Amino acid sequence: MEVTIPKSAFNPLFYPYLQDDTHRYLLFYGGAGSGKSVFAVQRFLYRLLTKPLCNVLVVRAVAATNRDSTYALFRQMIGRWGLGGLFTCKESDLRITCVNGNSVIFKGLDDREKLKSVTFQKGELTEVWVEEASEIQEEDFNQLDVRLRGKGTQKQIVLTFNPVSVLHWLKLRFFDREDPRAAVLKSTYKDNRFLDQDYKQTLESYKDTDPYYYAVYCLGQWGVLGQTIFDAQKVNGRLAMLDGPVKQGEFVFSTRYNGEINQVLVDDGSIRWVENTGGPIRIYQEPLPDKSYVIGADTAGEGSDFNVGQVICYQSGSQVCTIRGQMDEDLFAKQLYCLGMYYNKALVSIEANFSSYPIRELERLRYPRQYVRQVEDSFTHRMRQSYGFKTSSVTRPLVIAGLVEVVREHPDWLNDKTTLNEMLTFVRNESGRPEAQQGAHDDCVMALAIGYFTRARTGPPGQEECSSPFVSVGKSPRQCIWKKGGFAVNEWTVVTSLSVVVGLAAAVAGPLVKLNGTISRLSAILEHVLAQLDKLEGEDEKLRARGEAIERHLGSRI
């Protein structure tokens, strides 16, 4: 008997996967009404009819749901294609058998013991279809994967699902890392030419009533649970546009001994790039000779965090490179050194909260440009300079707000998928504090936020020391650190300058005396606030120093 199934019976987006035998995993995911489950059934029927051996196990999280979903869809498609004479459907044990002996069995993962007893009349299990794969646990998938074995035929697992959460194991396993054995296809209702207009309008109506449902089931984007800090729609939109980096790898170098300072340093002339697909550095735009760059960095905290650096172009604002890895701090510092030199001696701004070792190591290596902040000396109470960016209750909201603005106004600046995915899991907790969801990371987010904050308050080489009253690079506290309209001041003269100006005006015009008093009081308040902020930062430095001293003491005793 000859069976003819016209090409027009399939949605064009899915058709290229009809005869795919090269991948172990086929992932059809996306929005509701896209036709992914229908195509899965069409594909299995085609293979049951054309392959010498094709035995399919269809599973869902709960066995009882198969009868009205997957099993019903098989029967519907058999009837639609007029294949009733070629298949026998048994309602009692949910089994479909083709005239050539190939068959389909339907089971649930809520009874694993029954899965172990599944047998086929003709040969071994060759294919598995996991419908609504987002409903099953990864350990269940692993059991199915292990069971699908044997020689002679290509084994294959098909997964169909909606992308319900950016934290789902499916995303971590198949999307956040590449598997050459997996083929992934995203689809939405727009790809289903058989869908009626009324259903399309229903999906589109969720745009104004339920943003989560609209993102997941209409646009086929990974769902974000919780109150997100960043514009999830723009983040997902940017993710859909991105390709990979132009190159990935790390730097290698030689060292040299400097007798004058009795230190082993990096030999700048020996620094070279080595391609490595598993390397920690991803370059999206090569450095340009006429551009300047800033690197924001976040060191790994406790647990499974990463050391991360984000390279940003001063002039364009684009994220041009990232370094991310779970490496020792000395190796991270040396890679940062090489990366900074590679990007035209970029200004490096490293968070100093958890560990100051990378900062001290860059200083020891004589890296030419590090971000400098001013803090109060805990002993003399005088202002002094200190390398690194300090995240506090004052600065943290500022840097995050700056990055929120970048995502909202300039999503095209962002090029790293890992960073964008972190943004989707950066939400407000119950107390309203922005942080990573449980099980997620925020290293890339914080490093990028520090980078943009530093960029906004500094400038290219030769300009950064006069761009803000709160940052200095390579200058003493008494030198110019803020310049506007050609008039240079530092933070100690901001308040006094206001008083002088008002005083001169009052000498000329009597009615301004009251204004002078008002502004003087405001100046005093401002001066007090600045002093308190500096004092708090000094206390942070003091606590960190005491903590390091205790660690050294305990280490020596152990």
Side-chain angles (χ1 to χ4, degrees):
M1 179 179 179
E2 182 176 328
V3 178
T4 301
I5 303 174
K7 186 176 180 180
S8 59
F10 304 92
N11 273 309
L13 180 70
F14 295 98
Y15 186 77
Y17 295 87
L18 183 64
Q19 302 183 60
D20 186 303
D21 280 319
T22 60
H23 298 93
R24 181 173 177 84
Y25 311 109
L26 290 180
L27 286 84
F28 300 134
Y29 83 107
S34 66
K36 51 189 178 294
S37 297
V38 170
F39 174 73
V41 172
Q42 291 176 327
R43 183 175 179 277
F44 283 127
L45 289 176
Y46 173 81
R47 295 167 74 83
L48 288 164
L49 288 167
T50 59
K51 285 189 169 294
L53 179 61
C54 179
N55 289 319
V56 184
L57 173 63
V58 179
V59 296
R60 289 198 60 173
V62 179
T65 58
N66 276 312
R67 184 176 298 275
D68 296 325
S69 59
T70 55
Y71 179 75
L73 192 55
F74 264 92
R75 295 203 60 175
Q76 182 186 78
M77 195 56 60
I78 289 171
R80 184 180 300 173
W81 281 359
L83 303 176
L86 300 177
F87 289 95
T88 300
C89 301
K90 292 183 63 176
E91 292 278 352
S92 58
D93 60 352
L94 297 186
R95 183 188 294 260
I96 297 176
T97 305
C98 185
V99 292
N100 59 15
N102 292 332
S103 59
V104 186
I105 295 177
F106 301 80
K107 295 294 179 180
L109 292 170
D110 50 339
D111 192 342
R112 297 183 184 180
E113 292 302 317
K114 288 185 178 180
L115 280 176
K116 296 178 181 178
S117 61
V118 171
T119 57
F120 294 88
Q121 297 176 359
K122 177 185 175 182
E124 62 188 8
L125 173 66
T126 62
E127 306 190 34
V128 175
W129 175 27
V130 185
E131 167 69 326
E132 302 293 355
S134 58
E135 296 178 354
I136 74 169
Q137 302 299 315
E138 187 171 12
E139 52 265 33
D140 292 325
F141 173 81
N142 291 338
Q143 288 296 322
L144 293 170
D145 201 13
V146 169
R147 182 171 180 194
L148 193 62
R149 62 188 183 275
K151 297 181 179 180
T153 59
Q154 171 68 33
K155 305 300 188 292
Q156 200 167 65
I157 299 180
V158 177
L159 301 102
T160 52
F161 60 95
N162 302 115
V164 294
S165 172
V166 292
L167 296 177
H168 201 280
W169 66 266
L170 282 167
K171 183 176 184 301
L172 300 176
R173 181 162 181 160
F174 292 107
F175 293 81
D176 291 350
R177 61 173 183 252
E178 294 182 7
D179 187 338
R181 300 176 301 164
V184 178
L185 179 67
K186 176 184 176 181
S187 58
T188 70
Y189 71 96
K190 295 180 181 179
D191 299 306
N192 188 355
R193 64 188 183 90
F194 304 109
L195 198 64
D196 63 271
Q197 189 62 33
D198 184 60
Y199 187 76
K200 291 180 181 181
Q201 292 177 353
T202 299
L203 288 174
E204 291 169 353
S205 69
Y206 289 110
K207 183 175 183 179
D208 299 320
T209 60
D210 192 331
Y212 170 81
Y213 205 93
Y214 178 74
V216 175
Y217 295 99
C218 189
L219 302 181
Q221 297 174 348
W222 285 101
V224 182
L225 301 174
Q227 186 180 356
T228 58
I229 300 302
F230 302 100
D231 188 324
Q233 187 170 348
K234 290 193 175 181
V235 172
N236 275 313
R238 184 59 179 163
L239 274 169
M241 298 172 60
L242 292 178
D243 296 321
V246 295
K247 63 182 184 180
Q248 182 173 355
E250 59 190 330
F251 291 101
V252 296
F253 53 88
S254 301
T255 57
R256 62 180 177 85
Y257 175 71
N258 187 318
E260 295 182 0
I261 59 175
N262 192 31
Q263 293 287 343
V264 176
L265 306 177
V266 174
D267 183 357
D268 293 348
S270 71
I271 298 174
R272 62 186 180 88
W273 173 262
V274 176
E275 286 284 336
N276 178 5
T277 54
I281 301 176
R282 297 187 175 193
I283 293 178
Y284 299 97
Q285 295 176 18
E286 292 281 10
L288 299 173
D290 60 337
K291 303 297 182 184
S292 303
Y293 301 89
V294 59
I295 301 177
D298 183 41
T299 56
E302 298 177 352
S304 59
D305 287 345
F306 292 80
N307 290 306
V308 175
Q310 302 272 15
V311 187
I312 301 167
C313 176
Y314 265 113
Q315 286 79 6
S316 69
S318 295
Q319 176 192 32
V320 298
C321 176
T322 65
I323 173 172
R324 179 179 184 266
Q326 292 178 316
M327 64 189 81
D328 293 337
E329 289 185 318
D330 61 321
L331 298 179
F332 178 60
K334 290 180 175 64
Q335 287 295 313
L336 272 184
Y337 180 97
C338 296
L339 188 62
M341 298 299 288
Y342 187 73
Y343 277 93
N344 304 339
K345 298 181 180 179
L347 173 63
V348 177
S349 180
I350 306 177
E351 185 186 44
N353 287 53
F354 180 75
S355 173
S356 60
Y357 182 86
I359 295 172
R360 295 198 303 269
E361 180 65 2
L362 282 183
E363 184 179 9
R364 186 193 68 78
L365 293 171
R366 300 301 191 269
Y367 185 77
R369 299 183 68 229
Q370 279 203 76
Y371 179 91
V372 176
R373 70 186 189 283
Q374 293 198 12
V375 297
E376 182 184 26
D377 189 280
S378 59
F379 181 73
T380 64
H381 300 290
R382 293 180 179 178
M383 298 305 296
R384 63 179 177 83
Q385 291 182 315
S386 185
Y387 285 124
F389 178 86
K390 202 61 173 284
T391 302
S392 67
S393 59
V394 175
T395 61
R396 190 176 188 273
L398 290 176
V399 300
I400 293 175
L403 185 56
V404 168
E405 181 181 359
V406 168
V407 174
R408 185 183 67 245
E409 303 297 334
H410 307 286
D412 55 303
W413 286 1
L414 308 176
N415 296 304
D416 181 59
K417 290 185 177 181
T418 302
T419 303
L420 288 163
N421 280 316
E422 273 195 11
M423 290 178 179
L424 293 176
T425 58
F426 198 79
V427 301
R428 292 193 185 278
N429 62 19
E430 294 179 355
S431 62
R433 184 179 189 270
E435 62 181 17
Q437 282 183 347
Q438 186 175 2
H441 296 280
D442 65 359
D443 315 282
C444 293
V445 167
M446 293 308 300
L448 190 63
I450 291 170
Y452 277 116
F453 183 85
T454 304
R455 171 182 176 265
R457 283 154 181 79
T458 61
Q463 299 178 27
E464 72 272 343
E465 69 272 15
C466 295
S467 61
S468 165
F470 303 110
V471 65
S472 174
V473 182
K475 297 290 185 179
S476 69
R478 296 294 178 179
Q479 288 179 294
C480 166
I481 60 171
W482 189 22
K483 188 172 185 179
K484 191 168 185 177
F487 179 64
V489 297
N490 61 39
E491 66 177 271
W492 294 110
T493 62
V494 172
V495 176
T496 55
S497 295
L498 286 172
S499 299
V500 170
V501 170
V502 173
L504 290 174
V508 177
L512 291 179
V513 173
K514 292 183 180 180
L515 179 60
N516 179 34
T518 301
I519 295 182
S520 295
R521 286 193 296 273
L522 291 174
S523 299
I525 293 172
L526 176 60
E527 187 172 13
H528 176 72
V529 170
L530 291 173
Q532 290 300 314
L533 290 176
D534 292 336
K535 186 176 181 180
L536 286 173
E537 193 165 17
E539 289 297 323
D540 287 342
E541 288 289 323
K542 189 189 302 182
L543 289 172
R544 182 185 61 79
R546 288 180 62 187
E548 292 176 348
I550 292 172
E551 289 179 356
R552 289 194 297 271
H553 177 66
L554 291 175
S556 63
R557 296 192 63 176
I558 294 172

